[in-house]
Amino acid sequence: MKAIIQRVSKASVSVDGEIVNSIGNGLCVLIGIKRDDGVADVEYIVRKILNTKIFDGDKGKRWGASVVDKKYEILCISQFTLYHVLKGNKLDFHRAMPAQESEPFYMNFLAELRKKYIPELIKDGKFGAMMEVCIQNSGPVTLEIESPIKSISNDDIGDVENKKVSD
C-alpha cells in the first residue's frame, strides 16, 4: 500500500464539476492499493498518516506536530495509478488491486482511519470516478510512504533476522 501525503492549506475533490468534499488545513492523501495488500498494510499506512510530524509544532518548532496533534482534516483519494509499471511509454497497472477487490479494501482503510481519529475530519472522493483534485500545497511538503514489502526470499531471511527492523 502506498500513500502520497501532501500538507495542504486547502484541498477539494470534484466529480462532474461538482465539489464532493473539501478541507482546510490538513493532509490530502492519495492512496494506492497493490494486489497483495492486507490488514497489516492498512494499519501501517494509517499509523503513518496520523502520526508523521509534518506540521510546525507549538512554539513554531518545525516538523513538530502531526495531523492528530493539530486536529486538522484529511482528504483521501483512491488512486490506482500509484501502482503503475511503464512498458516503454505504455502504462500497465497489473500491480494494482482490481477495482472489485480494492473498493471494499479502500472502504475498510477509511473506516480504520476514522476509528483511529476523529471521523468527521476524514473526507474522501468518489471511488472509481473521474475526479478533479485541487490542492494548495503548504510548504510545499509531499511525502511518499509505502507499507513494508511482506514477501521476502529465502536468501534474505537470515539477513532480516539479524537486523532490527523499525518503522
Side-chain angles (χ1 to χ4, degrees):
M1 197 167 178
K2 186 182 291 188
I4 305 298
I5 302 171
Q6 299 173 305
R7 184 176 74 184
V8 300
S9 52
K10 63 182 175 180
S12 65
V13 60
S14 301
V15 176
D16 296 327
E18 290 188 36
I19 294 176
V20 294
N21 257 317
S22 64
I23 64 168
N25 284 318
L27 301 175
C28 182
V29 183
L30 307 175
I31 297 293
I33 304 166
K34 69 180 181 308
R35 288 188 171 272
D36 62 348
D37 282 339
V39 173
D41 299 287
V42 169
E43 291 170 351
Y44 179 86
I45 293 296
V46 165
R47 188 171 67 250
K48 292 301 182 184
I49 290 169
L50 295 177
N51 297 312
T52 299
K53 307 287 186 189
I54 195 168
F55 298 96
D56 291 348
D58 293 339
K59 302 174 190 158
K61 182 182 179 201
R62 213 173 262 286
W63 313 115
S66 69
V67 70
V68 172
D69 298 330
K70 292 292 199 173
K71 294 191 175 22
Y72 284 164
E73 297 173 293
I74 302 171
L75 176 62
C76 295
I77 308 293
S78 61
Q79 189 167 353
F80 73 94
T81 61
L82 293 179
Y83 279 107
H84 73 280
V85 174
L86 279 175
K87 293 185 176 183
N89 291 325
K90 187 174 186 322
L91 290 168
D92 181 298
F93 303 106
H94 73 274
R95 293 178 55 216
M97 187 180 284
Q100 63 273 18
E101 296 169 40
S102 62
E103 184 172 12
F105 190 93
Y106 177 72
M107 295 306 165
N108 287 335
F109 157 76
L110 289 174
E112 185 68 17
L113 196 56
R114 288 181 175 117
K115 186 169 98 177
K116 302 280 187 194
Y117 191 40
I118 303 165
E120 303 79 41
L121 297 182
I122 307 297
K123 313 275 178 78
D124 70 306
K126 184 175 179 187
F127 187 90
M130 179 62 79
M131 295 177 272
E132 290 184 6
V133 181
C134 294
I135 66 161
Q136 189 166 320
N137 196 313
S138 176
V141 175
T142 302
L143 307 175
E144 179 180 357
I145 297 175
E146 189 162 12
S147 56
I149 298 170
K150 295 181 299 249
S151 57
I152 299 173
S153 71
N154 289 335
D155 296 338
D156 296 333
I157 290 174
D159 293 338
V160 171
E161 289 174 348
N162 294 326
K163 293 181 184 176
K164 181 180 177 187
V165 179
S166 65
D167 293 345

